Amino acid sequence: MILQLLLLIHTIQPFLVPICFVCAWAFMSAIAWSLWTAVRDGVETSKRLHQIPCSHCQYFTGDYRLKCTVQPSIASTEAAVNCLDYQPKTNPLLY
């Protein structure tokens, strides 16, 4: 049994270095691809969230208990991007 195992190891030994090389680069490529997709998805989410106009609306209170006096259920969410009740603040010092 041990002789067969030694024969198998000596047979595949010339192929181990190329196989390990390819596996290592495949692993590094998978990590790089994963990081790239995470950054790309994060940028897309950030762009979507920066379109929420609530903080510049006159009905936005800034209080965590009642964020908006008109539409409190959608305040500061993605559903508020096209809010029909949005009114810009008239006093620019309130930003």
Side-chain angles (χ1 to χ4, degrees):
M1 177 73 174
I2 294 183
L3 290 176
Q4 292 172 345
L5 186 60
L6 285 174
L7 181 63
L8 178 66
I9 290 173
H10 285 292
T11 304
I12 63 171
Q13 191 172 10
F15 302 108
L16 286 180
V17 172
I19 289 171
C20 290
F21 179 78
V22 169
C23 289
W25 276 106
F27 181 70
M28 294 302 289
S29 298
I31 288 174
W33 183 260
S34 176
L35 287 173
W36 168 251
T37 56
V39 168
R40 185 189 63 203
D41 293 344
V43 167
E44 288 176 6
T45 302
S46 177
K47 284 181 182 178
R48 249 190 350 263
L49 292 178
H50 277 86
Q51 293 176 349
I52 298 172
C54 290
S55 62
H56 303 294
C57 180
Q58 74 180 24
Y59 302 119
F60 187 72
T61 63
D63 187 6
Y64 71 93
R65 293 170 287 192
L66 180 66
K67 293 180 181 178
C68 178
T69 56
V70 178
Q71 300 245 4
S73 61
I74 66 166
S76 297
T77 64
E78 289 185 45
V81 170
N82 295 319
C83 181
L84 297 175
D85 297 316
Y86 173 76
Q87 291 293 322
K89 288 183 181 177
T90 55
N91 187 354
L93 298 176
L94 295 178
Y95 286 116

